[in-house]
Amino acid sequence: MPRRIDIELTSALSDGSWTWRKAGALKPKGTVEASILPDGVQVGDELKVEAEQMLDGMEILSVVKGREKAARTDLLEFIPDDKPFEAVIETRAKRGRGDRDGDGRGRGRDGDRPRGRDGGRGRDGAAPRGRDGDKPKREGGRDGDKRERTERPKRPHFEAPPEVPQRPKPKRLRPGKARTQEVLAAVPEEQRPIAELALQGMSAVRNRVKEENAKLKADGKPEMPEASITKMAEEMLPKLRVADWLDRAEAAQRQMQHLDLRDLRSVVAASDDSMVARDESTRAIAEELKASLVTKQTEEMAHWLEDVDAALTVGRVIRALRLSSQPPKAGVMFPPQLAKRLGEAATASLLPEDSGDRWSAVLEAAAFSPVRALVMPTVPPTTITDDLKKTVLRLGPLLPQIASLIGVEVPKDAKRPKPLRPTSRKDQKKARDEKRPSDKREGGDKRQGGGRTEGGDKRQGGGRDDRGGRDSRNDRGSRPPKDRPKGMRDIATVMKAKQEAEQAAAAAAEEAAATAAAEAAAQAEQDAAASAESDATAAEVTDNSANDAETPSTDAISAEASDASDAPAAESAPDSESSDAADS
């Protein structure tokens, strides 16, 4: 969504574009095309532009023409004068008892003004007479005849009781974001918007995904996977929940003296969350806050009873009734003695001569007080207005005794009423307009902003924006919704970037797998060639050994020859031995 910001031009680049930053700050910053900027801009000029937050930064869309300052016309010009300065002197004459000018036109001796030319006397020195010769009647004198006046009804006089000093209003909790920012900084950039949404709860994540999917479906684009986004948010939620609680707990420790009891109770109740309780860093702080809650709750109870007693002592019955209905702890028992005093004071404050507004105010405060059953006036008011009847009818389920006293019948199935909220000025003005006659209200509408049309108010397009310029309601209505954190990008853009990153990672993995497979195939080929070569070598060695076995060597031949020569010698040896024996 585009929004308006003030930027300052910092430098001009060689390609014709300009660098900029937010006026008075270091960030955000970026570049802008020269075609968008007006002619004659220089470094240091400040411009109001419309910018849109993109995935990689802010993009300048257009330059907004600022409002020209009107020349001042309320200056006084001092014109010199040639005349000499003459001081003004004032002299007052002393006031005497006689005539001022001596001509008889001053006041008389008794301080009365003369009525005629002769000092209030006629020509003969007698008193002036009327046309018929009668003496004039004295009108408005002390002893003269008084005019008959209609007696106005006397308004009921009510003296306000003395004011009671009130205690300082407790301050609401203002937690920081240091712990949360640390966790968000550790989250990848493309997942940070989902983490910011997860801080608001899983329902916010699901609703936003459904909205974005509806837009994508209407545009004919593929929808986002809701299950993967929800799973991603659930994985980041425990750390975010613990960081958010630590920010609130540390702020509660710093503001403990003036902290509202409701905020402290909410922080202590949040410490029982399973995600927060499992973290070891939260246990010590949780124990300290629980002890501080018990101490502060005891102090608030004492202050509450003291305030009710003080308001009742000075006669502030309505304030005492309202305070009694706002205990620091729900379900606490109101002291019986103080309840008896408060019920008697509330009954005594409902007098028959009091106005209907007084009765309505007391009944509104008493209906939600723990002493409402003790408020039992015996005499109804003398003047019962329609507004009083409406109030009694609304409060009838809580104050049946008042309804029977005034004569208002309360339905049996009437629901228990709720306290009235303080009305704003706009609601009060609307109520006053409804009470006026229709012709006056129509005339008043015509005087406001040039009349109305069927499409709405003519002033709708002429409002002022927060920066002092003219802006339309349509531009103001195009701002991002309140549940979206400031500076958050669109989830569709983030998911698109995530899908592109996942696709790039899958492509890189496929490429790596293909490369590994090619290397493995090449290695297998090399191993097969090596094994084939080794097998061939082994076969050649085997053939050579077989040939060697078939062809006798020279040593074997010589050995065989020697054996053959030795055989005849051995054969001749016995013959010689036999011949020797014969000789012997």
Side-chain angles (χ1 to χ4, degrees):
M1 299 295 179
R3 59 191 182 98
R4 295 185 177 183
I5 61 173
D6 295 330
I7 66 171
E8 178 184 356
L9 300 178
T10 54
S11 64
L13 302 179
S14 59
D15 57 352
S17 59
W18 290 74
T19 60
W20 61 271
R21 65 179 181 182
K22 187 175 181 182
L26 296 178
K27 291 181 180 180
K29 59 183 180 179
T31 59
V32 59
E33 296 294 336
S35 59
I36 300 177
L37 303 177
D39 298 336
V41 293
Q42 298 177 358
V43 176
D45 291 351
E46 293 186 3
L47 304 173
K48 184 183 293 296
V49 299
E50 284 191 357
E52 185 174 3
Q53 182 69 40
M54 307 300 290
L55 187 61
D56 55 348
M58 296 191 70
E59 180 181 354
I60 305 300
L61 302 179
S62 61
V63 178
V64 181
K65 186 178 180 181
R67 186 179 179 184
E68 297 180 358
K69 295 183 179 179
R72 296 189 63 181
T73 58
D74 56 347
L75 298 179
L76 298 178
E77 182 181 359
F78 291 94
I79 302 175
D81 192 2
D82 298 336
K83 296 180 180 180
F85 175 73
E86 295 181 0
V88 179
I89 300 176
E90 181 181 359
T91 304
R92 296 186 179 183
K94 295 183 179 180
R95 192 171 183 178
R97 296 181 63 184
D99 297 337
R100 283 179 286 185
D101 298 333
D103 54 356
R105 291 183 296 177
R107 292 180 180 271
R109 190 171 185 179
D110 298 334
D112 298 329
R113 289 184 179 273
R115 297 184 181 179
R117 295 182 179 179
D118 299 331
R121 297 284 178 177
R123 294 181 179 179
D124 300 333
R129 297 176 181 270
R131 287 185 178 181
D132 300 332
D134 299 330
K135 291 183 179 182
K137 296 181 179 180
R138 297 179 63 185
E139 297 180 358
R142 290 185 179 180
D143 300 331
D145 297 331
K146 296 183 179 180
R147 295 181 180 178
E148 296 180 0
R149 297 182 179 179
T150 58
E151 295 183 357
R152 297 179 180 178
K154 295 182 179 180
R155 296 181 179 179
H157 180 68
F158 176 73
E159 295 182 358
E163 187 65 32
V164 180
Q166 299 182 6
R167 300 184 187 276
K169 190 175 181 180
K171 298 181 179 180
R172 301 307 301 267
L173 182 64
R174 293 184 178 181
K177 296 183 179 180
R179 300 275 188 164
T180 308
Q181 292 297 334
E182 290 180 3
V183 177
L184 291 177
V187 176
E189 184 70 20
E190 62 274 5
Q191 300 179 5
R192 192 167 301 172
I194 301 176
E196 293 175 353
L197 263 184
L199 284 172
Q200 305 174 20
M202 294 303 300
S203 60
V205 179
R206 295 188 183 94
N207 294 336
R208 182 59 55 80
V209 173
K210 290 180 181 178
E211 293 176 2
E212 297 296 339
N213 283 337
K215 294 179 182 179
L216 294 174
K217 186 177 182 181
D219 296 340
K221 299 179 181 180
E223 300 181 6
M224 297 181 295
E226 183 177 355
S228 61
I229 297 177
T230 306
K231 183 178 180 181
M232 185 188 308
E234 290 176 352
E235 291 176 355
M236 294 185 292
L237 188 59
K239 292 183 179 179
L240 294 171
R241 190 73 62 81
V242 170
D244 181 62
W245 186 85
L246 287 175
D247 286 334
R248 297 178 60 195
E250 292 173 355
Q253 287 181 334
R254 293 192 302 268
Q255 307 169 14
M256 184 62 67
Q257 184 177 0
H258 305 287
L259 183 63
D260 195 342
L261 188 61
R262 295 172 295 177
D263 293 337
L264 179 58
R265 189 180 289 117
S266 66
V267 175
V268 174
S271 65
D272 296 334
D273 189 0
S274 58
M275 296 183 184
V276 178
R278 282 196 297 263
D279 197 290
E280 296 181 357
S281 60
T282 61
R283 296 174 184 175
I285 302 179
E287 294 297 331
E288 294 179 4
L289 291 179
K290 289 180 181 179
S292 301
L293 176 61
V294 174
T295 305
K296 194 172 184 63
Q297 196 166 264
T298 305
E299 295 176 357
E300 291 292 336
M301 284 289 297
H303 293 166
W304 173 56
L305 297 177
E306 290 175 1
D307 293 342
V308 174
D309 189 15
L312 190 58
T313 302
V314 300
R316 294 267 178 183
V317 180
I318 296 179
R319 179 177 296 180
L321 289 172
R322 290 177 178 174
L323 288 174
S324 65
S325 62
Q326 300 171 359
K329 184 180 179 181
V332 67
M333 182 178 179
F334 199 73
Q337 297 180 356
L338 189 59
K340 183 178 179 181
R341 289 178 52 200
L342 184 56
E344 293 175 355
T347 303
S349 63
L350 296 175
L351 301 177
E353 60 270 13
D354 288 342
S355 63
D357 295 339
R358 172 69 180 177
W359 275 69
S360 298
V362 175
L363 295 179
E364 284 285 355
F368 306 97
S369 174
V371 301
R372 58 178 174 270
L374 303 178
V375 181
M376 294 182 294
T378 57
V379 182
T382 56
T383 304
I384 301 176
T385 61
D386 294 338
D387 293 339
L388 179 58
K389 289 182 179 179
K390 292 180 181 178
T391 302
V392 174
L393 180 62
R394 188 177 66 86
L395 303 176
L398 297 178
L399 297 173
Q401 71 274 15
I402 304 297
S404 61
L405 177 66
I406 296 180
V408 176
E409 184 178 356
V410 181
K412 295 182 179 180
D413 56 348
K415 297 181 179 180
R416 181 186 179 93
K418 296 181 179 180
L420 294 177
R421 294 183 178 180
T423 56
S424 61
R425 294 182 179 179
K426 184 177 180 180
D427 296 338
Q428 293 176 1
K429 184 178 179 181
K430 185 177 180 181
R432 289 197 301 267
D433 293 342
E434 291 177 355
K435 291 182 180 179
R436 296 177 183 173
S438 60
D439 53 351
K440 292 184 179 180
R441 185 165 62 251
E442 291 176 0
D445 292 341
K446 291 180 180 179
R447 290 192 299 269
Q448 294 177 358
R452 297 178 182 272
T453 61
E454 295 180 0
D457 197 347
K458 288 184 178 180
R459 296 173 298 168
Q460 185 176 2
R464 293 180 178 270
D465 59 0
D466 298 337
R467 304 172 184 83
R470 304 292 292 182
D471 194 5
S472 63
R473 298 287 178 89
N474 295 331
D475 295 341
R476 205 176 304 176
S478 62
R479 295 178 181 174
K482 292 183 179 180
D483 59 346
R484 178 177 295 183
K486 185 178 180 181
M488 174 184 166
R489 301 181 184 88
D490 199 359
I491 291 186
T493 306
V494 175
M495 291 306 301
K496 183 178 179 180
K498 183 183 177 183
Q499 291 177 359
E500 291 178 355
E502 291 178 354
Q503 292 176 1
E510 291 178 0
E511 185 178 357
T515 304
E519 292 179 356
Q523 184 67 29
E525 291 178 359
Q526 293 179 2
D527 295 341
S531 61
E533 185 178 358
S534 61
D535 293 342
T537 306
E540 184 178 357
V541 172
T542 304
D543 295 341
N544 293 335
S545 60
N547 294 332
D548 292 343
E550 294 176 356
T551 305
S553 61
T554 55
D555 296 337
I557 295 172
S558 58
E560 290 178 357
S562 60
D563 292 337
S565 59
D566 291 339
E571 292 178 356
S572 59
D575 295 338
S576 60
E577 289 177 358
S578 60
S579 61
D580 291 339
D583 292 339
S584 60

